[in-house]
Amino acid sequence: MSSNSDRVDIAHRTLRQAIIEQALKAGTKLPEDEIGRHFSMSRTLVRAVLAKLEAQGLVDMYHKRTATVAQPSLEEARDAFAVRRALEREVMKSVMRRWSPATESILRDHVKEEEAAHAKGDVRLSTRLAGEFHLKLAELSGNALLDRYLSELVSRCSLILAMYSRPHSSECAISEHSALIQALRDGDVEVAERLMDEHLSSVESRALIADDLGAEPDLGSILSRYLSRTEL
């Protein structure tokens, strides 16, 4: 039998993926009892999961009301990208100082995963992997606080893109990620920072118009689908 911490981790990863991949859209209600049934968890543990998602900017929780997938405004979206741009510059500097063949291998392997998702036409997976590229950079920075704060921002920005993004080709993001890796390998700080700014500006430009949020999804069926993937 899994421990309580394992259950919280699995539930958190499952819900996070479902939100970032747009299966659970902004405003979707997240009833504690239904989540608890799917993960065999008490309400106390469910609240711990929702609190983690709230800290990442993915869930809104209200006193004595059902939690919902967060709905950041366009103004909040612009603020999030402004802060993220500053932190990503610091990440690039830190990764460059710690650069090694192993670091390059990790990043290039991730880009290969992005390419494979694009080749399959899996837009949701491509979107999630694009965000996770930046999470890997933050992790490789060696700065725990930078990693933590940027992880929260990347999650928030992924939700923003899910809400407001224009249709676009993931090939752009893949080529931009490859260019960032090359700049890091070359040890050119100015070029690396410029490319990161341009990349994030390109990402932000995709989040200028609102999508139709559509009908309320079936939370149960979505959790079942994502839980089976999380446990693989």
Side-chain angles (χ1 to χ4, degrees):
M1 180 178 295
S2 60
S3 66
N4 287 342
S5 61
D6 288 338
R7 291 179 183 178
V8 168
D9 183 57
I10 290 171
H12 170 259
R13 285 188 286 117
T14 300
L15 284 163
R16 181 181 179 279
Q17 285 188 16
I19 292 170
I20 289 176
E21 293 187 10
Q22 307 175 43
L24 292 174
K25 295 184 180 295
T28 299
K29 294 180 180 178
L30 302 171
E32 294 177 1
D33 54 351
E34 188 167 357
I35 294 173
R37 282 196 302 271
H38 272 275
F39 298 102
S40 301
M41 296 166 60
S42 67
R43 279 179 174 265
T44 299
L45 293 180
V46 172
R47 287 168 189 155
V49 172
L50 294 173
K52 288 183 68 174
L53 293 167
E54 183 183 34
Q56 294 177 318
L58 297 177
V59 165
D60 288 333
M61 296 176 67
Y62 306 98
H63 183 58
K64 295 185 178 179
R65 289 178 58 186
T66 303
T68 62
V69 177
Q71 302 182 74
S73 67
L74 279 174
E75 183 178 358
E76 290 171 330
R78 294 186 183 99
D79 288 344
F81 273 100
V83 175
R84 178 176 171 182
R85 193 173 287 109
L87 290 183
E88 294 263 24
R89 293 191 200 105
E90 293 304 314
V91 166
M92 295 297 279
K93 292 175 184 176
S94 295
V95 173
M96 191 172 292
R97 286 194 293 267
R98 297 165 54 88
W99 190 255
S100 70
T103 300
E104 181 175 4
S105 179
I106 290 170
L107 293 174
R108 292 202 183 278
D109 284 348
H110 187 85
V111 169
K112 288 179 182 177
E113 290 185 51
E114 293 183 67
E115 290 170 340
H118 172 72
K120 291 190 299 183
D122 192 333
V123 176
R124 290 180 173 178
L125 179 58
S126 294
T127 299
R128 176 164 61 82
L129 288 172
E132 289 180 356
F133 174 83
H134 293 266
L135 296 182
K136 285 193 178 294
L137 278 175
E139 183 180 351
L140 292 167
S141 73
N143 185 320
L145 281 178
L146 197 54
D147 185 9
R148 173 187 168 188
Y149 294 143
L150 189 58
S151 294
E152 293 175 5
L153 272 172
V154 170
S155 294
R156 184 73 165 180
C157 290
S158 294
L159 174 61
I160 289 164
L161 288 170
M163 286 181 62
Y164 296 113
S165 63
R166 300 171 185 266
H168 68 281
S169 171
S170 59
E171 289 183 73
C172 299
I174 295 170
S175 63
E176 290 162 9
H177 288 170
S178 295
L180 287 169
I181 294 172
Q182 188 60 50
L184 287 167
R185 181 181 183 183
D186 292 343
D188 194 324
V189 175
E190 289 186 6
V191 170
E193 289 185 345
R194 176 178 58 78
L195 288 176
M196 179 60 80
D197 280 349
E198 291 173 355
H199 173 54
L200 292 178
S201 294
S202 176
V203 172
E204 185 178 6
S205 72
R206 299 167 193 154
L208 297 178
I209 56 176
D211 287 333
D212 178 6
L213 298 182
E216 185 81 4
D218 179 356
L219 177 62
S221 63
I222 290 171
L223 290 180
S224 295
R225 185 169 78 246
Y226 274 82
L227 178 57
S228 64
R229 290 169 51 180
T230 304
E231 292 181 322
L232 290 178

